[in-house]
Amino acid sequence: MEKIVPVGVSARHIHLSQEHIDTLFGAGYELKPMKPLSQPGQFAAEETVAVFGPKGKFEKVRILGPARKASQIEISKTDSFQLGIDAPVRESGNIEGTPGITVKGPAGEVVLERGVIIAARHIHFHTKEAAEWGIRDKQLLRVRVGGTRPLVFEEVIARISDQFALDMHIDTDEANAAGIKNGETAVILD
């Protein structure tokens, strides 16, 4: 049985805590959903913020909602050079010991002490699919993508929850290396 998964390409984006949303946009502010994402309940918000590193900045970084318990920004390695930040490759949410960044919104500014990461490539599995395919949470997988420059990604982290929908997440650097676009498919090798 071939294990085929859709691929989602993640451009730079930021997740914000409600406290930081309030600082950046005003007390009690609620993000406005622009479009739903592949994971149930997640959305790209209409709102963007500017982020400033020691060497460079990005004027419009999309916020993904809903609000999280901790703020973090996910960038590519190429972005890290532009910002002048040595961001580590990490699983989303694992921000201890990571560099910080300055975030500016229309109502204020936040200096994040930590939270800048390059997201580790991963696949979201619903519990049912993972069980059918014999995949364990945090298992490291090998995954082949087609594209115009086919390649095999090593150490793709399996993330399993009954709240997830099947989707592989890679960043823009990884997608460009393979010549793959959002919505194309990949095959889990092992």
Side-chain angles (χ1 to χ4, degrees):
M1 164 185 51
E2 209 169 38
K3 301 170 186 170
I4 298 172
V5 297
V7 176
V9 179
S10 292
R12 75 182 73 99
H13 60 273
I14 192 166
H15 301 280
L16 294 169
S17 66
Q18 188 59 52
E19 175 189 354
H20 291 156
I21 292 169
D22 290 347
T23 301
L24 296 166
F25 292 93
Y29 191 87
E30 291 187 31
L31 296 173
K32 297 176 185 66
M34 181 177 71
K35 69 176 183 177
L37 299 176
S38 65
Q39 297 309 302
Q42 304 288 311
F43 60 89
E46 290 179 9
E47 296 82 0
T48 61
V49 291
V51 297
F52 297 81
K55 193 172 141 192
K57 64 183 177 180
F58 294 118
E59 292 288 349
K60 292 188 175 195
V61 176
R62 182 73 52 203
I63 301 170
L64 300 189
R68 295 273 181 103
K69 64 180 179 182
S71 295
Q72 78 177 33
I73 180 168
E74 297 178 28
I75 61 175
S76 69
K77 187 65 175 174
T78 301
D79 291 341
S80 75
F81 296 137
Q82 222 171 327
L83 291 169
I85 294 176
D86 187 17
V89 175
R90 294 278 183 90
E91 266 193 85
S92 182
N94 179 4
I95 60 171
E96 282 305 314
T98 60
I101 198 163
T102 300
V103 183
K104 292 186 181 178
E109 174 180 307
V110 172
V111 177
L112 297 179
E113 298 296 321
R114 63 181 177 269
V116 183
I117 66 167
I118 298 168
R121 60 183 79 107
H122 58 279
I123 300 176
H124 291 277
F125 292 90
H126 187 276
T127 312
K128 181 181 172 197
E129 290 152 340
E132 287 173 6
W133 289 353
I135 294 173
R136 299 173 320 280
D137 193 39
K138 306 295 185 203
Q139 181 178 343
L140 298 180
L141 305 169
R142 292 176 61 246
V143 182
R144 184 182 187 283
V145 293
T148 56
R149 302 169 72 195
L151 59 81
V152 174
F153 286 113
E154 304 276 345
E155 299 185 3
V156 180
I157 302 167
R159 297 181 62 189
I160 301 170
S161 168
D162 59 3
Q163 304 298 308
F164 290 160
L166 185 63
D167 204 27
M168 177 175 171
H169 289 174
I170 58 175
D171 68 25
T172 52
D173 285 352
E174 294 167 317
N176 289 339
I180 193 167
K181 295 184 180 100
N182 220 9
E184 294 186 33
T185 58
V187 177
I188 298 171
L189 301 175
D190 54 31

